[in-house]
Amino acid sequence: MVMEGEINNFIMVWVSALVSLCYCHTIGKAIPKGTSRLLSILPVICLFLILPLNLTTIHLGGPSSFFLAWLATFKLLLFAYGEGPLSSSSTPISFSRFISIACLPIKIQNHPSPKNPQKPLSTKNNEHPSLQRPQNLHKSPLNYGTKVLLLATYGPVHDNKDHLHPKILLLLYSIHLYIALEILLGNFAVLTRALLGVELEPQFDEPYLATSLQDFWGRRWNLMVSRILHPTVYNPVRSISSRWIGRKWAPLPAVIAVFFVSGLMHEIIFYYIGRLKPTWELTCFFLIHGFCLAIEIAIKKALNGSWCLPKVVSGPLTLTFVAITGLWLFMPSLIRCEVDVKIYREAATTYMRFFKDVVSVLSSRFFDVVLVPEELKIKILGSKE
């Protein structure tokens, strides 16, 4: 009954979101961009921050809070001023595409014309070169198959967690988290590709191959968040900072501001999941990475590309730093929300219910076809009448 109530709430949440986005799509045609449009869609933004409070499960509430309270609200803020993926300078975006882009973590892949191919932009000394490197749209079946097998080890790891060292357990959970996110977002991308007939850019680009913090956060990890934070936070802060410290060093406070906002949004998402008072460990995690990334960018600017660490050295250093800070500040917040317990319990309940339904159907079919001959069923029915 609890799961049925959650499904009803889930339907209510997304029906409300679709109706609200229909209103925003209409507003975009009727009200010019600017403060007036922002005031018109501000109630929708507030609603999107409230809707996830109606959901309590990880599998339904977690993605919904991320899609609505973070991605959709930030896209609507950009839309209010005629910016971002929901705005188009040429032809108006259709309603179905408006809904999909607003709700889901996708970005339509732009293909250069064969007659006028676009050359990849140089990333030398670029402080935020995310999305400038060409990316593969599809990953090999072996890649996904390996990750599915690794994700399947979650059950045995959870069953034997009392026998594992706490840090090893957190490390394994972090690997499972990354794989689960990639598979989840990949499924949404496939669904949208099937419904809209467009190619979609991937959300992850093998983050375990990162060779620097700039490479990890800008080019490989959760690229949809990078795309939405760049125009909403990075660009405005960089523009303001350039007036005070010059264009060369303006990216540094902009990077820190991006990570600060990311930390705050993670605190909100984790509150939706666990309904616990924030401890601000997540904000500290992202601020540490923001300051370290700013230092990395400053060093690169100072050296002007004359020297850099070999990738065979910088790669392991980057992953070690991410792992240590993640196990120290990020993963404990996840465990405090009992995400591991909820995922295991919800998955077990769902699979058990599915298994019981299958067994019930098969047994009834077997009873009707094999054990009860047609003549006997006629006699039984005749006697009842």
Side-chain angles (χ1 to χ4, degrees):
M1 292 298 295
V2 176
M3 195 61 190
E4 291 178 1
E6 181 76 356
I7 292 176
N8 291 333
N9 291 338
F10 178 77
I11 295 173
M12 181 274 294
V13 165
W14 280 98
V15 168
S16 302
L18 294 178
V19 172
S20 301
L21 289 173
C22 179
Y23 162 78
C24 293
H25 186 259
T26 305
I27 286 296
K29 299 178 180 178
I31 300 179
K33 62 183 179 180
T35 305
S36 299
R37 185 187 292 184
L38 175 62
L39 294 176
S40 300
I41 65 175
L42 192 58
V44 174
I45 294 175
C46 296
L47 177 64
F48 282 6
L49 293 173
I50 297 174
L51 284 177
L53 295 174
N54 295 285
L55 302 172
T56 58
T57 60
I58 296 295
H59 291 84
L60 297 181
S64 297
S65 60
F66 174 61
F67 296 162
L68 293 177
W70 191 342
L71 294 186
T73 55
F74 277 54
K75 291 175 183 178
L76 288 177
L77 288 173
L78 292 174
F79 173 69
Y81 292 95
E83 302 291 339
L86 298 178
S87 301
S88 175
S89 57
S90 54
T91 58
I93 299 178
S94 65
F95 176 68
S96 60
R97 183 165 294 192
F98 185 92
I99 294 292
S100 301
I101 296 176
C103 292
L104 302 179
I106 63 173
K107 179 178 183 295
I108 298 175
Q109 176 75 25
N110 295 319
H111 296 286
S113 171
K115 296 180 180 180
N116 187 25
Q118 296 178 356
K119 296 181 180 181
L121 299 178
S122 173
T123 60
K124 183 178 180 181
N125 295 332
N126 194 337
E127 64 280 350
H128 203 318
S130 62
L131 315 178
Q132 292 183 355
R133 183 183 56 182
Q135 300 173 17
N136 295 324
L137 294 175
H138 303 287
K139 297 182 181 181
S140 67
L142 179 61
N143 184 298
Y144 274 114
T146 302
K147 291 172 180 175
V148 170
L149 291 176
L150 289 174
L151 186 61
T153 63
Y154 175 79
V157 169
H158 186 274
D159 291 336
N160 297 278
K161 63 179 182 179
D162 294 335
H163 305 288
L164 296 173
H165 189 278
K167 295 301 182 183
I168 299 298
L169 182 64
L170 290 179
L171 180 61
L172 293 175
Y173 278 163
S174 63
I175 296 174
H176 291 145
L177 174 64
Y178 153 63
I179 296 175
L181 285 175
E182 179 165 12
I183 293 176
L184 173 66
L185 297 178
N187 288 336
F188 277 109
V190 171
L191 177 63
T192 308
R193 184 186 303 122
L195 294 176
L196 299 179
V198 295
E199 291 291 347
L200 306 172
E201 292 181 344
Q203 303 306 314
F204 292 91
D205 188 11
E206 316 302 343
Y208 49 84
L209 299 179
T211 57
S212 66
L213 288 178
Q214 189 176 10
D215 185 32
F216 181 87
W217 291 111
R219 306 185 187 104
R220 296 186 179 274
W221 181 263
N222 205 348
L223 301 180
M224 188 69 252
V225 170
S226 298
R227 295 186 190 103
I228 204 65
L229 288 176
H230 192 273
T232 53
V233 181
Y234 179 85
N235 287 344
V237 175
R238 181 182 179 181
S239 177
I240 296 173
S241 301
S242 62
R243 304 171 190 172
W244 298 91
I245 58 177
R247 292 177 58 86
K248 180 177 182 180
W249 303 108
L252 304 185
V255 167
I256 296 173
V258 164
F259 278 85
F260 176 66
V261 172
S262 181
L264 292 180
M265 294 307 302
H266 277 83
E267 298 282 3
I268 294 175
I269 299 301
F270 275 47
Y271 177 78
Y272 291 135
I273 294 174
R275 307 299 163 86
L276 299 175
K277 183 179 179 180
T279 60
W280 307 111
E281 289 177 320
L282 294 168
T283 305
C284 291
F285 169 80
F286 284 98
L287 278 177
I288 288 174
H289 277 261
F291 278 105
C292 291
L293 179 54
I295 293 172
E296 178 183 304
I297 294 172
I299 292 175
K300 289 181 178 179
K301 286 179 173 293
L303 294 176
N304 197 27
S306 60
W307 182 84
C308 63
L309 283 174
K311 292 183 179 180
V312 69
V313 177
S314 62
L317 285 177
T318 300
L319 296 183
T320 300
F321 178 74
V322 172
I324 291 176
T325 53
L327 296 179
W328 171 33
L329 295 171
F330 190 92
M331 293 304 297
S333 297
L334 207 64
I335 300 300
R336 191 176 298 110
C337 295
E338 296 185 336
V339 171
D340 57 327
V341 177
K342 292 179 180 179
I343 290 177
Y344 188 79
R345 182 173 61 242
E346 292 173 16
T349 302
T350 302
Y351 294 146
M352 284 300 297
R353 181 174 298 177
F354 175 77
F355 179 74
K356 288 180 179 179
D357 291 342
V358 171
V359 171
S360 177
V361 171
L362 292 179
S363 61
S364 63
R365 295 277 185 180
F366 180 79
F367 178 80
D368 289 341
V369 175
V370 178
L371 297 182
V372 183
E374 188 66 27
E375 297 82 359
L376 181 57
K377 287 194 286 186
I378 294 175
K379 291 182 180 180
I380 293 175
L381 293 175
S383 62
K384 288 183 178 180
E385 294 177 355

